[in-house]
Amino acid sequence: MSESATTTNLLGLPRPDLERFVARLGSKPFRARQLMQWVYKRAEPSFERMTDLAKAFRAELGAHACVRAPEIIDEQCSADGTRKWLLRADGSQAFEMVYIPEPDRATLCISSQVGCALDCAFCSTAQQGFNRNLTTAEIVGQVWLANRELAGTLADLARERAVTNVVFMGMGEPLANFRNVVPALDILLDDFGFDLSRRRVTLSTSGLVPQIYKLAEYSNVALAVSLHAPDDALRSELVPINRKHPIGELLAACWHYIDERNGRSVTFEYVLLQGVNDSRAQAHALARLLAGHPAKVNLIPFNPFPGTRFRRSSPEAVHAFRDELLHRGVLATVRRTRGDDIDAACGQLAGRVIDRTVVRLGSRTFGLAVQA
Ligand code: SAH
């Protein structure tokens, strides 16, 4: 997000950076904590309304700073309560986030890049190629926006419905945008930021091995890894980064992360593709890789999209696969599909903007049309 030469976007500044900024404006560093509480806990964008800050300080902030989240260009609500927001990157580019409410939590699935360069065979984001990295402001701005939108629309329920969990499972490969993702993780976890526990923030990666080691030095959030195959030949076909970083190296990095960060386990995502990776023998092979390690498997029913050659495994195959893992001592769950009616499901976050036709949504008019 571009700022003018004199205006700094406070969204996306980790606490030490914000303290330095506040000091440059001539205020004490503890003001940064107060400011963060307004920005993140109350989703307040207006310095004027930050009433416990000195008037002069508010005026300084007004002159040199702003709180600017990405702009919403479309919003869809599913019958099951899932919501998907399309956000403007720049020009004709857009990215998406998905809000998934459950009785005991509310998860926001956020994007880290516009598009993706990794070209996984079964992912619709891959089809659009890579456009650019999101900034830290655009990454944390998704959580900020969701909370603000929910507070606005669900008035009384706002407190319960605010985002409790964040997963980096939207568009993009978060570890390929390490420089902007790590400060975003800091802000998500900061007591004065979103104050989320590290177990409620999950970074999902397709397996960038060197960056997993690097992440272990900088953060301790929950780690999810997109495995999708129990052997290198098949995984290299489905997740091409495997040619560079094969399964053996990937698993070694995962166990290192757990040891180093004192984590409980790594979640291995496994999208079940009919006749490709869903046989009992493959479940057995997967169990051999993971049994005895701090691992759990999340089986994801494939979400088809136009032009894909893959098909979703039958419910019987999914259950047989899960039972085979459980039987061999590997914890496994099946992910429930949510938001199907609004294409909010895994791997559906294409977010392509196809022309500049004006679309109307309720009373709001947007200058961009989105491919359905
Ligand atoms: N790049 C990261 C995070 C984004 S994808 C990663 O690869 O982990 C989030 C998850 O959705 C990954 O496990 C991904 O493999 C999975 N996914 C992608 N396309 C899918 C599809 N069409 N159906 C089901 N899951 C899909």
Side-chain angles (χ1 to χ4, degrees), residues 198-199 215-217 219-223 253-266 294:
R198 67 184 175 104
R199 300 191 200 289
L215 184 69
E217 291 172 32
S219 191
N220 59 3
V221 295
L223 183 66
C254 291
W255 313 144
H256 169 84
Y257 186 84
I258 290 301
D259 287 348
E260 199 72 5
R261 302 316 311 202
N262 185 25
R264 286 183 191 159
S265 58
V266 173

Side-chain angles (χ1 to χ4, degrees), residues 72-199:
I72 296 175
I73 50 181
D74 188 16
E75 177 181 4
Q76 286 173 276
C77 299
S78 161
D80 68 12
T82 302
R83 290 159 175 246
K84 182 168 81 164
W85 286 281
L86 185 74
L87 307 170
R88 188 193 303 278
D90 27 38
S92 62
Q93 297 297 329
F95 59 100
E96 292 179 307
M97 62 175 183
V98 178
Y99 169 78
I100 308 150
E102 287 171 275
D104 59 338
R105 67 172 98 172
T107 303
L108 191 71
C109 176
I110 64 172
S111 296
S112 55
Q113 299 182 311
V114 184
C116 189
L118 292 182
D119 207 23
C120 297
F122 49 84
C123 178
S124 72
T125 302
Q127 294 193 328
Q128 76 180 98
F130 174 69
N131 189 258
R132 74 164 170 87
N133 284 327
L134 292 178
T135 63
T136 304
E138 288 169 326
I139 297 169
V140 298
Q142 295 171 66
V143 186
W144 189 88
L145 262 183
N147 280 341
R148 203 200 56 181
E149 288 293 301
L150 293 162
T153 53
L154 299 167
D156 304 348
L157 294 172
R159 285 184 66 82
E160 287 168 60
R161 301 283 189 104
V163 173
T164 61
N165 293 57
V166 173
V167 296
F168 283 74
M169 296 182 187
M171 287 169 72
E173 167 50 51
L175 292 185
N177 184 13
F178 197 89
R179 204 159 60 102
N180 296 336
V181 165
V182 165
L185 296 174
D186 289 343
I187 294 168
L188 291 171
L189 267 52
D190 193 312
D191 298 353
F192 296 93
F194 291 105
D195 195 15
L196 297 174
S197 111
R198 67 184 175 104
R199 300 191 200 289

Side-chain angles (χ1 to χ4, degrees), residues 212-234:
I212 294 175
Y213 284 101
K214 208 165 137 201
L215 184 69
E217 291 172 32
Y218 290 95
S219 191
N220 59 3
V221 295
L223 183 66
V225 170
S226 295
L227 196 56
H228 306 315
D231 61 83
D232 282 321
L234 180 59

Side-chain angles (χ1 to χ4, degrees), residues 122-123 169-170 172-173 204-206 226 228 269 271 302-303 346-347:
F122 49 84
C123 178
M169 296 182 187
E173 167 50 51
S204 176
T205 178
S206 57
S226 295
H228 306 315
E269 294 156 287
V271 56
F302 172 61
N303 290 303
C346 298

Side-chain angles (χ1 to χ4, degrees), residues 32-51:
R33 279 172 271 169
Q34 255 177 307
L35 198 47
M36 283 184 85
Q37 281 181 314
W38 277 107
V39 172
Y40 296 108
K41 298 238 164 55
R42 306 193 204 179
E44 178 57 72
S46 157
F47 300 124
E48 257 324 290
R49 287 198 286 267
M50 300 183 182
T51 43

